[in-house]
Amino acid sequence: MSLNSIISSASAALIKTQYAISITDTNIANASDTSISRKTYSATANTTVLALTEGTVGRVTNSYLSKTMIAKAAEAGRTSVIDEYMQSYDAALGTTDGGDDLSSLLDAYATALSGLASSPTSSAEKSSAVSALSAVVSSLSDTSDEIQSLRTEANKSIADTVDQINSQLSTIASLNDQIAQGGATGQDLTDLEDQRDTALETLSNLMGVSYYTNSDNRVMVYAPSGDLLVGTTAASLSYTASSTLDASTSYPGAISGIYLNGKDVTTSLTGGQLGGLISLRDDILPDEQAKLDALAASLIDQVNTVANQGTAYPPPDTLSSSTTVAASDAFSATGSVRVAVLDSSGTVVSTQDIDLSAYSTMGDLVSALDAVDGLSASISADGKLVLSADDSANGVSLGALDSSVGADSDDFSSYFGFNDLLSGSSAADIALSSTISADSSRLPTGVLSADSALAAGDIGLASGDTTTVTALQSLLSATQDFPAAGDFAAQSSTIAGYAARFVSSAATKISQASSDADTAQSVYDYAKTRLENQTAVNLDEETALLTQYQAQYEANAQMISVARDLFDTLMSMVN
């Protein structure tokens, strides 16, 4: 080999080694960034004489582990967002240790009723019972509000996530173009490919996707529905979020779908953060609302039924219906109702049993009630049926007898809601009667005497009568039928038992969400670590490689120096 060839080959090797050193330096600089893969340099021979003058830059990859990691990112995204929301829900449920969970509050209400049963005339015990019932109502209402607040938040997050997804789709499409164009001109694509892998991982965490790389080195990305998201161009999702959700707002219907190329793909979006948010909004949280509503509806119905068959002691001077009526309304009823005016000690001032079948309109009924001695009946300006004692020192009491009013065959007081303790029909609108809340002495504790011979001067309501209090207490432990709600099948249970099951079920869901999130994150982390172990920079290896390259560089530089010295010597000899 001539000196010229030696110098040329050593110079080529010097350039190659210098480039390899720069790549290794870059690897070392990026060692802390696991999203950047390890870059390699592979040199090839240019001629049989001159070696190592050309080479290519590559990156260390593992397509199988990469696909696995990206797939696991979707499940980690889904479970983490569900866990986050369920932890917020957990805070709204209260704790058994703090006694502020629904089951504990019902137990406290039962205890307060027990105290009232022991002292039915005690103002303090009545106040305690009303306060305990108010706490139950507040718990139901507040929990419902929190569920809908979380649904609203999830719905808004869906819109934000859709925007993030569209941004990632655009990024991937742009990188595809750069990679395809750079590949055609022989450019180093490794950094662009790293960026694209990172964007794919982020995208999968957001919604879950499938993909493959085509012959042009473009990544073709598909939605779970099978629709193309990224090809030569990027598609985009569209979604319009409702501002506020309530228990009656659901998808499909009042909530818009998520559209891709004009197609509603909402139900197919089950993976990633987007899938978790949709599941929370449309399934998980509505299930909790449905069960809460079933409990609230039963409590409202049962409490009001018992309370309307009773009367407060002493009876109030005025009873006002919770329903709205008009004099022209048709009235259909059978049986009789007892209407009595009592003094503050429960002694009958006047009493009359009214045959309800004799009246066909509300106006007729009001006239009959108004004719009772010592009683005035009217329909107020806001449409309430009002019964008032003519003497404010007296009170009004009603006895159900065999009255049956309306299509549901309610007793007289229940039909009009004269002694309702609760209003509403679900957890979303349940409320404590404002009348009872303002004056706990109006809490029904006993019942008007049903003695057929009851007359003026008789005791119509005994001060120690606890019939209604006992009935209110008993209904919490009385078995009744609950409809299917959420993930609960139709069942027979007590109100207290249903509440306990609701709390227990919610706690199980919350715990499971946390466990699922931990498991999914661990699997994702493991897949990511396995990939990084093969593709990320190992600082020790790169340092050793740098030392090797530096030695090669020095050796080639020495070879050039020796060859030049020989060349100079030869030239000197010639001269």
Side-chain angles (χ1 to χ4, degrees):
M1 178 179 291
S2 67
L3 289 177
N4 217 17
S5 297
I6 292 173
I7 292 174
S8 297
S9 295
S11 296
L14 200 65
I15 294 171
K16 174 263 178 183
T17 304
Q18 188 175 17
Y19 192 51
I21 288 173
S22 69
I23 291 174
T24 304
D25 282 338
T26 301
N27 283 341
I28 291 174
N30 294 328
S32 61
D33 189 346
T34 56
S35 67
I36 299 178
S37 63
R38 178 175 176 263
K39 305 303 187 296
T40 62
Y41 179 74
S42 176
T44 58
N46 186 37
T47 68
T48 56
V49 178
L50 299 179
L52 306 173
T53 59
E54 291 184 355
T56 57
V57 178
R59 63 184 188 131
V60 179
T61 61
N62 186 310
S63 59
Y64 171 75
L65 289 179
S66 183
K67 281 183 175 291
T68 299
M69 185 269 291
I70 288 175
K72 298 306 179 185
E75 185 61 19
R78 172 186 169 82
T79 55
S80 66
V81 76
I82 290 176
D83 178 43
E84 177 188 345
Y85 277 73
M86 293 304 282
Q87 293 304 316
S88 295
Y89 178 47
D90 184 29
L93 291 174
T95 64
T96 54
D97 290 342
D100 56 349
D101 67 294
L102 187 55
S103 184
S104 297
L105 292 173
L106 277 169
D107 289 343
Y109 173 52
T111 299
L113 289 175
S114 179
L116 180 57
S118 299
S119 304
T121 59
S122 169
S123 298
E125 295 293 351
K126 286 182 180 180
S127 178
S128 177
V130 170
S131 178
L133 179 58
S134 178
V136 172
V137 169
S138 294
S139 177
L140 287 165
S141 179
D142 291 347
T143 303
S144 176
D145 288 346
E146 179 63 15
I147 289 173
Q148 297 313 313
S149 175
L150 289 172
R151 289 186 69 222
T152 298
E153 184 180 336
N155 196 48
K156 291 178 180 177
S157 293
I158 287 172
D160 293 338
T161 304
V162 166
D163 289 341
Q164 294 175 47
I165 288 169
N166 288 336
S167 176
Q168 292 303 316
L169 293 176
S170 296
T171 297
I172 293 170
S174 175
L175 290 168
N176 268 347
D177 289 341
Q178 296 176 62
I179 289 169
Q181 293 167 8
T185 57
Q187 296 178 20
D188 177 8
L189 307 175
T190 55
D191 287 340
L192 293 174
E193 289 172 335
D194 282 347
Q195 293 173 37
R196 188 172 66 182
D197 283 353
T198 298
L200 277 170
E201 181 184 353
T202 301
L203 178 63
S204 185
N205 181 267
L206 292 172
M207 69 174 288
V209 294
S210 58
Y211 69 95
Y212 75 91
T213 306
N214 69 7
S215 58
D216 293 333
N217 202 12
R218 290 179 180 273
V219 167
M220 313 297 284
V221 185
Y222 292 86
S225 61
D227 296 284
L228 184 65
L229 289 171
V230 180
T232 55
T233 59
S236 63
L237 301 177
S238 62
Y239 177 65
T240 303
S242 305
S243 57
T244 305
L245 305 188
D246 57 39
S248 64
T249 313
S250 63
Y251 167 85
I255 298 177
S256 169
I258 299 173
Y259 289 88
L260 174 61
N261 299 324
K263 173 184 175 183
D264 188 348
V265 295
T266 307
T267 56
S268 68
L269 299 172
T270 58
Q273 294 181 35
L274 183 59
L277 290 167
I278 292 171
S279 183
L280 283 160
R281 184 196 68 184
D282 297 343
D283 298 311
I284 297 173
L285 293 172
D287 277 359
E288 295 303 293
Q289 182 71 51
K291 293 182 289 188
L292 197 67
D293 284 345
L295 175 59
S298 179
L299 185 68
I300 292 167
D301 180 63
Q302 297 299 316
V303 166
N304 284 345
T305 296
V306 171
N308 275 294
Q309 292 173 353
T311 185
Y313 181 90
D317 61 353
T318 300
L319 292 177
S320 181
S321 71
S322 61
T323 59
T324 302
V325 297
S328 59
D329 289 346
F331 180 73
S332 176
T334 60
S336 299
V337 62
R338 175 165 292 175
V339 182
V341 177
L342 310 177
D343 65 18
S344 60
S345 65
T347 301
V348 176
V349 175
S350 66
T351 182
Q352 183 175 333
D353 294 348
I354 298 177
D355 180 4
L356 299 174
S357 63
Y359 312 104
S360 58
T361 68
M362 280 301 306
D364 295 337
L365 177 64
V366 171
S367 295
L369 292 168
D370 192 54
V372 175
D373 188 27
L375 182 73
S376 295
S378 63
I379 296 176
S380 66
D382 59 353
K384 307 300 183 182
L385 176 56
V386 180
L387 307 178
S388 300
D390 292 338
D391 184 344
S392 60
N394 296 329
V396 181
S397 290
L398 300 173
L401 299 183
D402 60 348
S403 58
S404 177
V405 185
D408 294 331
S409 300
D410 293 323
D411 66 81
F412 183 82
S413 183
S414 292
Y415 179 81
F416 290 102
F418 282 113
N419 284 308
D420 281 352
L421 296 185
L422 303 173
S423 63
S425 60
S426 67
D429 59 2
I430 188 173
L432 182 65
S433 162
S434 58
T435 301
I436 298 296
S437 179
D439 184 2
S440 60
S441 70
R442 296 183 61 128
L443 178 68
T445 53
V447 295
L448 180 64
S449 173
D451 187 346
S452 60
L454 186 68
D458 294 338
I459 297 297
L461 177 63
S463 62
D465 185 2
T466 60
T467 304
T468 301
V469 176
T470 303
L472 286 171
Q473 188 178 7
S474 297
L475 74 82
L476 296 177
S477 57
T479 300
Q480 55 190 280
D481 293 331
F482 287 86
D487 54 2
F488 279 3
Q491 60 187 280
S492 294
S493 176
T494 64
I495 289 177
Y498 192 92
R501 188 182 175 199
F502 169 79
V503 172
S504 175
S505 172
T508 299
K509 280 189 175 184
I510 292 163
S511 175
Q512 188 63 52
S514 178
S515 176
D516 289 346
D518 288 344
T519 300
Q521 187 64 42
S522 294
V523 172
Y524 166 64
D525 289 342
Y526 176 71
K528 192 174 180 70
T529 299
R530 285 190 63 195
L531 178 63
E532 290 170 357
N533 287 341
Q534 293 197 22
T535 64
V537 174
N538 183 300
L539 194 58
D540 292 338
E541 291 179 359
E542 295 300 313
T543 302
L545 196 58
L546 182 61
T547 301
Q548 178 184 329
Y549 286 150
Q550 288 172 340
Q552 291 176 0
Y553 186 90
E554 291 173 1
N556 285 309
Q558 185 66 30
M559 184 179 294
I560 292 173
S561 178
V562 170
R564 283 180 175 172
D565 286 345
L566 288 173
F567 187 81
D568 289 344
T569 300
L570 288 173
M571 290 298 295
S572 176
M573 292 172 63
V574 170
N575 291 332

